[in-house]
Amino acid sequence: MEATLEEQLTTVEIAKELGLLSEEYDQIKEVMGRAPNFTELSMYSVMWSEHCSYKNSIKWLKTLPKEGERMLAAAGEENAGLIDIGDGLACAFKIESHNHPSAIEPYQGAATGVGGIHRDIFTMGARPIATLNSLRFGNIDSDRTKWLIKGIVKGIGDYGNSFGIPTVGGEVYFDDCYNVNPLVNAMSVGIVKKDKTISATSYGEGNPVYIVGAATGKDGIHGATFASGDLTEDSADDLPAVQVGDPFQEKLLLEATQEAMGLDCMIGMQDMGAAGITCSTAEMSAKGEHGMIIHLDRVPTRQTNMEPFEMLLSESQERMLIVVKKGREQEIESVFEKWDIHCAIIGEVTKEQRLKYYMHDELVADVSAESLVLGGGTPVYDRDYEPAKYLEKIDAFDSSKVDIPENLVEVARSLVSNPNIASKHWVIEQYDSMVGTRNMVTNNPSDAALVTIKGTKKAIAMTTDCNSRYVHADPKKGTMIAVAEAARNVVCSGGEPAAITNCLNFGNPYNPEVYWQFVGAIQGMSEACRKFETPVTGGNVSFYNQSSDEGPVYPTPVIGMVGILNDSSKHMTLHFKNEGDLIYLIGKPSNDIGCSEYLYNYHNLKHSPAPEFDLEEEFALQNSIKDLIDQSLINSAHDISEGGLFIALIESAMVNTYGFKITTDQNFRKDAYLFGEAQSRVIVSISPDKEESLVSYLESNSCSYSKIGDVTRKYISIDDENFDSINEYKELYNTSLKNLIESQPKKK
């Protein structure tokens, strides 16, 4: 297989075209002891891409806290994170991005993102029970944004609804920085018995290797490479890199693999995601310290005359690689035949730790498994970083120069209709949230989504959180806030935060300012996760979210958190329950308006500091909320986030169409008191007969608090000023986003 000098010269150019650095090509030659052929070079190009190798991020990812008493799988060692939730059960969960594919083909890009994340869950033996997503789009007035959101939401809905897993939560944000490069992050959560999990490994010389699921086609070839570069005007030419999904095929694959795992004849199983057969054969072999012989001509295909590199790099969806105990072939094949799923032996496990791929008995590639994988022979880089120049504008911000508007009712209405705050009902109604009958929050909303674990009293709380504007202003503090808000949402819902997964969306890592954002985010995440004892179970890094025209997106480290309710009857909802209930603010009022929706969109001031945040105060607040819920002292709890206190009150009031009457603290700017987004604050409502017990608890635990008002019938009063009826805000809240998305394109 030795290449000629002419072939070597050609291969050097090809390596560059495939995104490999010259020093990486030299490293490949050194590892192989010769020049790679085209097929081998193609394999290295995808496995050493940022998307697969994390070569520019792994140094910092290793600093994240990964230890915890609930951890059942080391972070990054399996297809998804796995934690012990008691009663002999485990929860598998993970979040991943599908940003680049969604930017050029929104429907299939988003749909296959959902399919891929579910496969990561059920390859571990778990049955998915819930989906969440975190979506970022550009200016809502843009025709492109409307095209993207319609395609992406439909793709998520069609795939998830057909697959039969409820979408129970998520977030949607709009900002000009995402005009070219939207972010599509999908999270899946599943349940499995602790002793019934399966690993992504391969061992046992002579054990057969199967490919199961859909036939292999040419879709998705070099998808990992495509995801490891900036979006350009020519990105649409890479459309073949976008995979095509089939949720009905995936449903069959789920049921077939669940049944097959009951036979106890599988050594290991892995989803064929990025880099397809190459990735699954390499990672399973490296983990099991064995090798494989693979016969590519035995792979079921849906297109004729596919080249070896096309088969190795294809990212066709709904496929798995399975290693089975020798002698149990008939049992496994009968299961997949029953479900009408392709199940073909394509090779066998070898003792030698090499991967040898044949096409009609011709050896087309011979590589070391260890050299291809993260944690093995892939390159690791330590990139330069420096503080962003835009910090000068943030440091120059002076809130005293921001005038308080005379008409705060106008501000209130503006915020309620802001697409980042208004109801996402237009999105949510396209998702099936009730299939499986586990969802607890459809009619009883809480800050986090909750799903029951049937056959037990338990429930799982889950949420995705990140305010990228905060992270842009201060990467470390902003990411700490993202972790804290996720934990606060879980706590306000009655849960105990357990662990996180993350999806780290950033620009080009070769840009020192972008890498500074990334490093700060990792540092902030580490500090917050240690404080809340929520280890990082794994996740996804998505660099290169930028374009030549628009530059990088805001740094967006999305936190996917799960928490546990040992008693689902302790579920705490966010809405007011009774007229006459008292409203208390737990936490400190503030003059802070930094990075608020109020400042950013109403005043059009784009550079300001991240909101005030103190990790110790946040931790103490959350412990207090846990106790108040446990002692049944409060009727509702809702954290204060985007839009500030006023929006939290509106969201608590709208569910049952109540109003509220409050008095602001005259020691603070009225706009900051109502619309500022200082952290570590929760509003609770209580029955009047529990006020004494509540105050006694808060005083004895040195909690900051203030009684701000009470729940009224329908009208809103602030400092005795009429702020209109709750029905008017409810109408604005429920219709604003729909009206913006469905409005006719502007005439040019």
Side-chain angles (χ1 to χ4, degrees):
M1 297 176 63
E2 186 71 34
T4 66
L5 179 59
E6 182 180 355
E7 288 172 331
Q8 288 187 44
L9 292 172
T10 303
T11 308
V12 172
E13 293 301 316
I14 292 172
K16 184 177 180 181
E17 289 293 319
L18 293 178
L20 289 164
L21 303 175
S22 59
E23 58 264 35
E24 291 174 345
Y25 178 72
D26 292 339
Q27 185 179 341
I28 292 167
K29 286 201 301 181
E30 183 178 345
V31 167
M32 298 189 70
R34 59 177 173 81
N37 63 33
F38 177 77
T39 299
E40 293 163 338
L41 189 62
S42 296
M43 296 169 66
Y44 276 102
S45 75
V46 292
M47 292 302 291
W48 286 15
S49 69
E50 180 64 39
H51 189 72
C52 290
S53 74
Y54 292 172
K55 59 190 177 186
N56 289 307
S57 56
I58 190 61
K59 173 192 170 182
W60 287 98
L61 295 177
K62 287 181 177 179
T63 67
L64 290 168
K66 302 181 179 75
E67 303 296 326
E69 61 181 21
R70 293 187 181 275
M71 293 284 282
L72 295 176
E77 291 294 313
E78 298 292 352
N79 286 306
L82 191 70
I83 61 169
D84 189 341
I85 59 173
D87 292 343
L89 297 173
C91 177
F93 64 104
K94 189 179 183 182
I95 189 169
E96 280 200 340
S97 64
H98 233 221
N99 302 334
H100 280 46
S102 300
I104 61 172
E105 213 303 288
Y107 181 85
Q108 289 294 352
T112 52
V114 173
I117 197 64
H118 281 318
R119 288 196 301 279
D120 281 337
I121 300 305
F122 70 80
T123 48
M124 297 186 68
R127 179 174 288 274
I129 61 170
T131 308
L132 302 91
N133 51 65
S134 176
L135 309 177
R136 301 295 196 282
F137 299 99
N139 192 309
I140 190 64
D141 292 327
S142 160
D143 294 341
R144 172 176 165 78
T145 295
K146 293 173 184 178
W147 171 70
L148 285 169
I149 190 172
K150 289 175 182 177
I152 286 168
V153 170
K154 184 170 175 56
I156 292 170
D158 284 0
Y159 201 104
N161 298 349
S162 300
F163 186 55
I165 305 299
T167 301
V168 298
E171 53 184 1
V172 183
Y173 285 91
F174 298 87
D175 194 280
D176 288 358
C177 73
Y178 304 108
N179 278 340
V180 174
N181 204 133
L183 302 184
V184 179
N185 297 176
M187 179 175 172
S188 179
V189 180
I191 299 295
V192 62
K193 291 183 178 179
K194 280 170 55 177
D195 59 352
K196 296 298 182 182
T197 60
I198 190 161
S199 181
T201 190
S202 166
Y203 56 83
E205 185 178 4
N207 281 333
V209 178
Y210 282 84
I211 187 170
V212 301
T216 297
K218 294 186 178 183
D219 52 321
I221 294 172
H222 272 297
T225 308
F226 170 60
S228 303
D230 296 349
L231 286 177
T232 69
E233 292 180 355
D234 298 324
S235 291
D237 296 338
D238 295 323
L239 196 60
V242 179
Q243 309 92 328
V244 178
D246 182 348
F248 301 104
Q249 182 84 352
E250 177 138 322
K251 176 64 175 174
L252 295 176
L253 186 59
L254 165 64
E255 300 303 335
T257 52
Q258 290 275 308
E259 183 174 337
M261 282 182 286
L263 300 176
D264 193 30
C265 63
M266 277 196 249
I267 298 293
M269 176 167 59
Q270 180 157 334
D271 166 43
M272 288 189 187
I277 292 175
T278 298
C279 186
S280 54
T281 54
E283 290 185 346
M284 291 179 75
S285 296
K287 183 170 184 178
E289 298 183 347
H290 279 62
M292 289 183 186
I293 290 175
I294 300 294
H295 298 276
L296 296 173
D297 49 286
R298 300 180 188 174
V299 175
T301 60
R302 60 174 180 264
Q303 290 163 292
T304 59
N305 300 319
M306 288 184 68
E307 296 289 338
F309 86 92
E310 293 176 319
M311 300 176 74
L312 284 165
L313 271 58
S314 168
E315 295 181 10
S316 293
Q317 299 291 284
E318 292 88 39
R319 300 179 302 157
M320 305 285 199
L321 195 74
I322 295 178
V323 177
V324 176
K325 296 174 183 177
K326 191 172 183 178
R328 307 288 296 275
E329 292 88 345
Q330 184 56 49
E331 294 173 71
I332 204 82
E333 289 170 15
S334 64
V335 170
F336 286 94
E337 182 180 357
K338 167 188 170 182
W339 290 97
D340 195 24
I341 294 283
H342 286 299
C343 179
I345 295 178
I346 62 170
E348 64 181 49
V349 177
T350 60
K351 185 176 182 180
E352 182 188 18
Q353 295 180 39
R354 295 195 67 78
L355 300 169
K356 295 184 178 181
Y357 303 90
Y358 291 85
M359 190 73 166
H360 301 298
D361 297 324
E362 177 188 353
L363 183 63
V364 294
D366 180 357
V367 298
S368 158
E370 189 269 347
S371 72
L372 289 172
V373 302
L374 171 66
T378 55
V380 176
Y381 298 118
D382 187 6
R383 296 295 174 205
D384 294 333
Y385 57 94
E386 61 185 32
K389 293 180 179 61
Y390 62 75
L391 289 181
E392 297 175 0
K393 297 179 181 178
I394 291 174
D395 292 340
F397 175 77
D398 183 354
S399 62
S400 66
K401 295 181 180 179
V402 179
D403 293 332
I404 301 175
E406 292 184 9
N407 188 345
L408 292 183
V409 176
E410 179 185 86
V411 177
R413 294 174 68 87
S414 171
L415 285 175
V416 168
S417 56
N418 182 315
N420 287 340
I421 291 174
S423 170
K424 307 307 184 291
H425 183 71
W426 183 91
V427 174
I428 297 166
E429 68 182 358
Q430 298 185 54
Y431 304 151
D432 188 337
S433 63
M434 291 300 292
V435 61
T437 64
R438 296 176 182 267
N439 191 348
M440 295 175 60
V441 298
T442 301
N443 298 314
N444 288 290
S446 53
D447 282 0
L450 273 79
V451 293
T452 60
I453 303 175
K454 293 183 178 180
T456 76
K457 295 175 62 178
K458 293 180 181 291
I460 299 291
M462 57 198 79
T463 184
T464 58
D465 287 285
C466 179
N467 186 311
S468 61
R469 194 178 301 147
Y470 300 170
V471 185
H472 181 255
D474 186 329
K476 183 177 179 180
K477 184 199 286 188
T479 307
M480 290 172 70
I481 290 174
V483 176
E485 184 177 1
R488 194 160 66 239
N489 285 333
V490 169
V491 166
C492 285
S493 303
E496 178 72 33
I500 77 160
T501 177
N502 59 54
C503 200
L504 309 178
N505 307 274
F506 290 81
N508 192 319
Y510 292 87
N511 179 336
E513 293 189 6
V514 167
Y515 206 73
W516 169 78
Q517 294 172 335
F518 175 75
V519 171
I522 294 294
Q523 292 172 334
M525 189 184 308
S526 295
E527 188 171 339
C529 284
R530 288 190 175 94
K531 186 64 182 178
F532 295 115
E533 297 183 349
T534 52
V536 181
T537 63
N540 173 230
V541 178
S542 176
F543 280 135
Y544 302 98
N545 292 291
Q546 65 180 65
S547 68
S548 54
D549 294 334
E550 300 283 340
V553 301
Y554 281 171
T556 313
V558 176
I559 304 300
M561 181 177 285
V562 297
I564 301 168
L565 279 75
N566 287 314
D567 183 355
S568 60
S569 68
K570 291 290 186 179
H571 174 206
M572 177 55 59
T573 56
L574 63 82
H575 53 284
F576 296 148
K577 306 298 189 301
N578 310 291
E579 183 182 356
D581 277 0
L582 307 179
I583 303 171
Y584 272 76
L585 169 65
I586 314 296
K588 297 178 181 178
S590 171
N591 273 321
D592 184 23
I593 55 174
C595 271
S596 61
E597 288 289 340
Y598 160 67
L599 191 67
Y600 195 84
N601 286 307
Y602 187 83
H603 286 284
N604 200 33
L605 294 174
K606 307 302 184 185
H607 293 91
S608 61
E612 292 177 5
F613 177 74
D614 182 281
L615 189 56
E616 293 299 330
E617 285 185 9
E618 178 71 39
F619 186 69
L621 170 81
Q622 293 190 22
N623 284 334
S624 296
I625 297 299
K626 290 177 194 176
D627 288 345
L628 295 176
I629 293 172
D630 188 59
Q631 296 174 30
S632 302
L633 289 177
I634 58 178
N635 293 334
S636 69
H638 189 23
D639 86 312
I640 295 173
S641 54
E642 286 83 9
L645 172 68
F646 180 81
I647 294 300
L649 290 166
I650 285 288
E651 290 173 342
S652 295
M654 282 190 298
V655 177
N656 288 334
T657 320
Y658 282 116
F660 53 86
K661 180 178 181 178
I662 67 166
T663 302
T664 64
D665 189 328
Q666 301 304 306
N667 294 312
F668 299 92
R669 291 177 57 128
K670 193 165 183 177
D671 59 345
Y673 189 90
L674 291 174
F675 311 124
E677 296 176 14
Q679 299 296 294
S680 309
R681 297 182 297 156
V682 174
I683 57 166
V684 301
S685 64
I686 65 165
S687 302
D689 61 354
K690 292 186 177 180
E691 183 175 22
E692 184 177 342
S693 297
L694 175 77
V695 171
S696 175
Y697 172 87
L698 295 172
E699 293 282 356
S700 62
N701 286 276
S702 302
C703 298
S704 298
Y705 73 94
S706 53
K707 179 181 178 180
I708 63 173
D710 51 52
V711 179
T712 61
R713 185 174 296 276
K714 284 187 179 181
Y715 285 90
I716 297 169
S717 173
I718 299 177
D719 296 335
D720 294 326
E721 179 184 355
N722 179 18
F723 265 63
D724 298 329
S725 162
I726 189 65
N727 287 323
E728 296 182 45
Y729 288 102
K730 195 170 184 177
E731 176 70 13
L732 274 177
Y733 185 83
N734 287 333
T735 62
S736 293
L737 182 61
K738 177 181 179 181
N739 291 340
L740 286 167
I741 293 172
E742 295 184 351
S743 63
Q744 294 298 313
K746 294 181 178 179
K747 294 182 179 180
K748 296 182 179 179

